[in-house]
Amino acid sequence: MHMPEPDADVIARRGEIIAALSRILPADNLIVDESELRAYDCDGITAYRQLPLIVALPETVDQVAAILRYCGEAGVKVVPRGAGTSLSGGALPLADGITLAMGKFNRILEIDFDNRCVVAQPGVTNLGITQAVQERGFYYAPDPSSQIACSIGGNVAENAGGVHCLKYGLTTNNILGVEMVLMDGEVIRLGGKHLDPGGYDLMGVVTGSEGLLGVITEITVRILRSPETARALLIGFASAEAAGDCVAAVIAAGIIPAGMEMMDKPAVAAAEAFVHAGYPLDVEALLLVELDGPEVEVEDLIGRVRAIAEGTGAVSVRVSADEAERQSFWAGRKAAFPAVGRLSPDYYCMDGTIPRRQLPTVLNRMRDMSEKYGLRLANVFHAGDGNLHPLILYDANAPGELERTEEFGADILRLCVEVGGVLTGEHGVGVEKRDLMPEMFGDEDIKQQQRLKCAFDPAQLLNPGKVYPTLHRCAELGRMHVHQGQVRFPDLPRF
Amino acid sequence: MDGTTLRPGDEAQLAEAVAWAAAEGKTLDVAGQGSKAGLGRPVAADFRLETTGIAGVVLYEPEELVLTARAGTPQAEVEALLAQRRQRLAFEPADLGPLWGGPAGRGTLGGTFAAALSGPARLRNGAARDHLLGFRAVGGGGQVFKSGGRVVKNVTGFDLSKLMAGSMGTLGVLTELSVKVLPVPEKTRTVLVLGAEDDAAARAMALATGSAHDVVAAAHLPADVAAASAVDLVSGTGKSVTALRLEGPAASVEFRCRALRELLADVGRGEELHSRNSEILWREVRDVSYFAGAECAVGDGQVWRLSVAPLEGPRAAAAIRAELGGHLFYDWAGGQVWLCLDPRADAGHQVVRRAVAGAGGHATLVRADAAVRAAVPVFQPQAAPLAALARRVKDQLDPAGILSPGRMGGGG
């Protein structure tokens, strides 16, 4: 993984840039000492590290606008950062860029139960929103596993998911409005408290744009009433194929569970050893299905899912009898990553999505790859929506093992694309999957996305080196239309 | 427009046509069957470019909840195919054909997403944009490109599906769409509350949608509009009707129906609509039938759609009505207001826009003569920095400015 060559001229102007930022921000809001910059040298992917040129911690929208305007004029790159929990290197700093850390934007601005929404600053944690409304029985639905730490601004930038997005959608389906600052310092508002933004749906493309289009300064999210009841089934299978069949049959029966998670044998073993959730250790695949709604509905669906599971060869079925047991079913799943982490000095978490019915095929082929690369693999999936999280176990101190792990991971993602899926379901492209983009997209597909980038940030100063393997200059992208003399008069019916 | 229609037979031909038009500076009025030609600013283009020659379902995998079809595939064909497997497009695309004086049941899948007119269930199930998983299209330079995929969980690259949904052919010509489909619920019922004033109805709808009863759709018909319903239980009461739809497994729907009626007992007398009547009522609301054709006393009026925060609906509506009169009803728990005004040369746009601006939303002039739509901004004018950004997006994706120029107003 190579980042674009830092601009030596910008690095040489560091003192001048610090002086300019000091005129915008109080001294306490500017980090320039190497020892303090160290805290910002990576995000959730610790394998990639880089000291930022400077870290700026604005507190007001005016400050963000002034910083971006200055950087735009001075040609200085900017990396926006939320809580720094990205699993794709989206907030990886640049040696010649300012990291714009939004942690001080940490207030909830308005709770509007009447219109069922919350207006929050981007640094508020995902869980913080739910905590602010739960006493009235409401919650914010997307629940990435980092929800205690990750920020809502980062969630919007990455279009974060979670275990419940099968039924309740991703971030993009749960936000109503965004205020953001463009690289030229202009402040724009997209959407609001109403259900559809007018004009082009720019909020839709800003969501999941990984900090390449603007800096988000305010978000309006939809909140939902918490379901009356939630219960879970823990279903064991003798083969991944049978578990895959069960997942497909549940969906085919018209049931959309609140969550439908799968773990393979190594992941089950690791989780059980770690949290003693009572998982069966003799199964090849374990399915965790959660149903929520009114008691009478949950009761009904539990019965249907149980019947489907038994019909597709389940070897064990347990239904949570009470809330404590439901929590214990989830405890293993939620601890799966750290549990697997105990098996090995390091692990690498992948994030492809595939059509559900390809689960058995993909599992088998990953097993072959695991042998080929000589690296162990544990699998945790959001099975309901086909989102895989294979965990590759490796030792970063063993020479060559990180490289082999990355190759293995890339092969898994190529496989996802090959069977009709995509490179990333919820973690983002960032720097991690950047060079794999051509596996899924052709040159024209990527250029079209970069043209959109040019409308927001023509000088390409926002988070460069992320998402797209090649930076095309906007002027070059604009030259696509010189077709005169090459296009023959179209021979069209009824022309 | 001189009436000449280009009707390419496949994506390559369409790309060739657009590339040629871009090179020659010829403008194109991008259309499917043209069933939604009444929406947006009228386009005066050199040619009409139709996608109807690029049709057919490419892939339908009910167990994967996904369908891929070419843009020109008739919407009715898609809906019939889904119905065979008891599935549907859960955002309930509106069929405004009759509202614009045309037949019902026309339009293409591409047009459905390009216009992105989401129906009553948008409240819970999301909008058209939430159901477009990926697409192929031809850009303003004639280049073929794709975006997204056919799985729901996908954050690979910019989500151009959102941008294309609702862009009305001004940013690219859709050629193929992959859409999320969902099961038809086992049972549907609608709880009616009779006699509530607009404000009280909005509060009742907020109470219901904020309850754990999982309300799919919430509409309020004032008495004059309710009288135009084909459902006797709605039209025969002589009162306003607030309607709340519930869906799901039978036992659950019955339970929630009872619970919802209890919750709203203080608001007004309750009724229930079962499957058939419920379906008719929600189809009327979806297609704005009350303002279409001869059945409605206000059939000739100009029709506006307001999108505001749910509780702002009655306030914005009252402000407009105080000055301009007219008839109206509410969908999306009050957040979508359909308003029918007596015809005016300026469509009363300043009054309407002032009212929604105060409520933080926007208004669209959905039905008016072409001359009015050419003179009055059809879509809400945007703040200068946002309008400039929308303009830059249009210029980047359609640099020659040939794709339905002006249809979206200032931005595109």
Side-chain angles (χ1 to χ4, degrees), chain A residues 115-116 172-173 196 200-201 222 297 304 353 356-357 387 424 426 445 448-449 455 481 494-495, chain B residues 5-6 61 64 123 129-130 141 143 146 153 155 158 170 186 209 252 305 307 311 362 392 399:
Chain A
N115 291 304
R116 297 175 304 288
T172 189
N173 312 113
D196 59 338
Y200 293 141
D201 188 355
R222 276 189 110 177
E297 174 170 337
R304 293 194 209 186
T353 304
R356 274 176 292 267
R357 71 183 145 79
N387 187 194
T424 172
E426 57 183 357
D445 307 334
Q448 191 70 10
Q449 301 192 20
H481 309 284
R494 288 200 228 161
F495 181 70
Chain B
T5 296
L6 306 176
E61 293 176 347
E64 297 287 341
L123 184 65
R129 51 95 90 181
D130 298 301
Q143 76 281 24
K146 66 174 183 296
K153 265 186 117 174
V155 293
F158 293 150
T170 61
E186 187 181 309
T209 50
S252 169
R305 184 178 84 86
S307 180
L311 281 207
H362 62 90
R392 293 198 298 275

Side-chain angles (χ1 to χ4, degrees), chain A residues 114-116 138 158-159 162 165 170 172-173 182 186-190 193-202 204-205 209-210 212-213 222 225-226 228 251 254 256 294 296-297 300-301 304 353-357 382 385 387 420 422-429 437 440-442 444-445 448-449 451-456 468 480-481 483-484 487-495, chain B residues 4-9 13 16-17 19-20 22-23 47 61 63-65 122-124 129-130 139-141 143-160 162-163 165 167 170-171 182-183 186 205-206 209-213 249 251-252 255-256 305 307-312 332-333 360-362 382 385-386 389-390 392-394 396-397 399 408 411-412:
Chain A
D114 284 341
N115 291 304
R116 297 175 304 288
F138 285 83
E158 299 290 324
N159 191 12
C165 56
L170 295 103
T172 189
N173 312 113
L182 302 180
E186 290 282 8
V187 180
I188 58 168
R189 298 190 74 91
L190 306 170
K193 290 181 178 180
H194 44 295
L195 280 176
D196 59 338
Y200 293 141
D201 188 355
L202 299 177
V205 281
S209 63
E210 305 198 23
L212 269 69
L213 299 183
R222 276 189 110 177
R225 184 65 180 255
S226 309
E228 259 174 32
I251 300 288
I256 308 289
V296 55
E297 174 170 337
D300 179 42
L301 293 179
R304 293 194 209 186
T353 304
I354 56 169
R356 274 176 292 267
R357 71 183 145 79
H382 303 304
D385 38 31
N387 187 194
V422 301
L423 294 174
T424 172
E426 57 183 357
H427 293 175
V429 177
M437 284 288 273
M440 186 167 150
F441 293 119
E444 264 315 328
D445 307 334
Q448 191 70 10
Q449 301 192 20
R451 288 186 184 108
L452 182 74
K453 161 83 168 168
C454 291
F456 282 79
Y468 300 106
M480 61 179 175
H481 309 284
H483 284 308
Q484 275 99 337
V487 180
R488 60 198 168 79
F489 201 76
D491 175 24
L492 300 166
R494 288 200 228 161
F495 181 70
Chain B
T4 308
T5 296
L6 306 176
R7 191 172 172 274
Q13 276 187 355
E16 209 179 336
W20 169 79
F47 298 92
E61 293 176 347
E63 69 287 353
E64 297 287 341
L65 306 178
R122 187 274 168 262
L123 184 65
R124 170 178 176 273
R129 51 95 90 181
D130 298 301
Q143 76 281 24
V144 174
F145 70 97
K146 66 174 183 296
S147 179
R150 52 188 174 91
V151 292
V152 171
K153 265 186 117 174
N154 178 11
V155 293
T156 321
F158 293 150
D159 192 355
L160 299 185
K162 301 286 183 293
L163 189 63
S167 66
T170 61
L171 300 180
L182 283 169
E186 187 181 309
M205 290 191 283
T209 50
S211 76
H213 305 315
S252 169
F255 167 80
R256 286 181 285 143
R305 184 178 84 86
S307 180
V308 292
L311 281 207
E312 296 294 334
W332 299 356
H362 62 90
Q382 295 172 320
L386 178 54
L389 176 61
R392 293 198 298 275
V393 169
K394 167 74 173 171
Q396 282 292 332
L397 304 187
M408 295 280 287

Side-chain angles (χ1 to χ4, degrees), chain B residues 18-88:
Chain B
V18 175
W20 169 79
E24 299 291 322
K26 301 291 186 194
T27 54
L28 304 169
D29 180 14
V30 180
Q33 294 177 353
S35 64
K36 301 170 188 68
L39 186 61
R41 196 163 167 268
V43 175
D46 297 318
F47 298 92
R48 176 185 166 86
L49 178 67
E50 268 190 24
T51 60
T52 48
I54 307 173
V57 173
V58 176
L59 164 155
Y60 175 32
E61 293 176 347
E63 69 287 353
E64 297 287 341
L65 306 178
V66 62
L67 173 136
T68 302
R70 297 195 186 92
T73 311
Q75 174 69 16
E77 184 184 322
V78 171
E79 287 177 9
L81 181 67
L82 295 177
Q84 283 173 20
R85 300 298 299 263
R86 285 194 57 79
Q87 292 189 334
R88 62 172 180 176

